[in-house]
Amino acid sequence: MSMSLGIAVIAPLLQSSSALVRKQTHVEKAWLVEQDVIRVLELMARAIRMAGYRKIGSLGEYRQGLRMAKVDYIGLEHRTGWNHSDLLWVKHEPADGTEGDCLGNRVEQLNHGKSQSRTKNGLRYQGFFVKKAGDDRGGSLMCASLDRQGRLQHTSLMNHIDTLHFKWVGQQTRSGEPTSPTRAGVHIALKTTLMEREFSRFVALRNVP
């Protein structure tokens, strides 16, 4: 009788403890996912802010830069990736050699400073898109960058991606009406298969109209 009573008392405590452990595990998993999302959003934001950067050291270089203004330094390709996700790519000149790409790789001087690694035609390149992951019901967020020989390479940044979307955001007047097709920035929206929420961020363009 006493043993049955003891089991009856302990069983609810064990169930409660098990539920608490499951809840704690879920909270920790959600926190880790959120930290991963914050990391990749910052990588994409950093690339967008660098899009179109040109290292100008003289009036002649400034005028040459104006003539080069028609070069595409940033682009969006909609619904080309896993689950109709979008692709974003950016190009820019190397700054001071200390900034890394989406993998943290820095530019190195080659041939006595006459050329630079991880560039093509003098420009750095970064891209972000989602492809199907082999063993996951979601996709992998991929980083496209240049290797030391200037060849394109793809590396996974994060798994369990549901969708990734980019949208141009135009400049507006104080009343909220759009002034022109001029682009003010890019809105990023990222969903994972592990959390029922959308992570978003607006990034202003610094170097391209």
Side-chain angles (χ1 to χ4, degrees):
M1 182 72 173
S2 59
M3 182 177 294
S4 299
L5 180 61
I7 293 175
V9 172
I10 293 174
L13 294 177
L14 292 176
Q15 292 176 355
S16 177
S17 177
S18 177
L20 184 61
V21 169
R22 288 196 301 270
K23 184 175 181 179
Q24 180 66 24
T25 301
H26 176 76
V27 170
E28 291 176 356
K29 188 174 183 180
W31 183 85
L32 291 173
V33 171
E34 186 169 357
Q35 296 307 301
D36 267 349
V37 171
I38 292 173
R39 174 181 61 87
V40 297
L41 285 177
E42 178 55 32
L43 287 174
M44 290 186 280
R46 190 186 309 162
I48 292 170
R49 288 193 292 265
M50 285 299 295
Y53 172 84
R54 295 186 295 273
K55 195 170 184 178
I56 298 173
S58 67
L59 180 60
E61 290 181 356
Y62 173 75
R63 289 172 176 169
Q64 182 182 8
L66 292 178
R67 291 193 295 270
M68 295 173 60
K70 294 183 179 180
V71 175
D72 288 331
Y73 287 102
I74 183 168
L76 305 182
E77 298 177 16
H78 296 291
R79 303 174 65 85
T80 59
W82 157 251
N83 204 16
H84 304 295
S85 291
D86 300 336
L87 178 151
L88 174 138
W89 56 264
V90 302
K91 298 176 184 178
H92 62 88
E93 291 183 7
D96 55 7
T98 61
E99 90 286 353
D101 59 15
C102 44
L103 299 179
N105 296 316
R106 297 181 179 181
V107 166
E108 301 169 352
Q109 298 295 325
L110 304 173
N111 301 323
H112 304 288
K114 294 181 180 180
S115 60
Q116 295 173 310
S117 69
R118 306 189 189 281
T119 64
K120 187 173 183 179
N121 298 324
L123 297 175
R124 303 204 74 178
Y125 176 92
Q126 296 184 74
F128 301 91
F129 64 96
V130 180
K131 78 170 188 178
K132 181 70 175 71
D135 55 353
D136 180 41
R137 66 185 181 91
S140 294
L141 174 60
M142 306 299 295
C143 157
S145 61
L146 301 176
D147 65 12
R148 296 189 65 183
Q149 286 73 42
R151 298 171 301 200
L152 200 62
Q153 61 182 357
H154 294 160
T155 306
S156 176
L157 296 175
M158 180 180 176
N159 292 321
H160 310 295
I161 302 298
D162 184 26
T163 57
L164 173 66
H165 292 293
F166 302 98
K167 182 173 69 173
W168 295 122
V169 178
Q171 292 182 345
Q172 297 181 335
T173 63
R174 291 183 179 179
S175 63
E177 296 297 324
T179 58
S180 69
T182 302
R183 302 169 299 188
V186 176
H187 179 266
I188 310 171
L190 176 65
K191 290 183 180 179
T192 75
T193 60
L194 301 178
M195 296 181 66
E196 295 182 357
R197 59 171 288 195
E198 179 181 273
F199 298 86
S200 63
R201 182 168 180 176
F202 168 75
V203 187
L205 296 173
R206 290 182 176 179
N207 308 297
V208 293

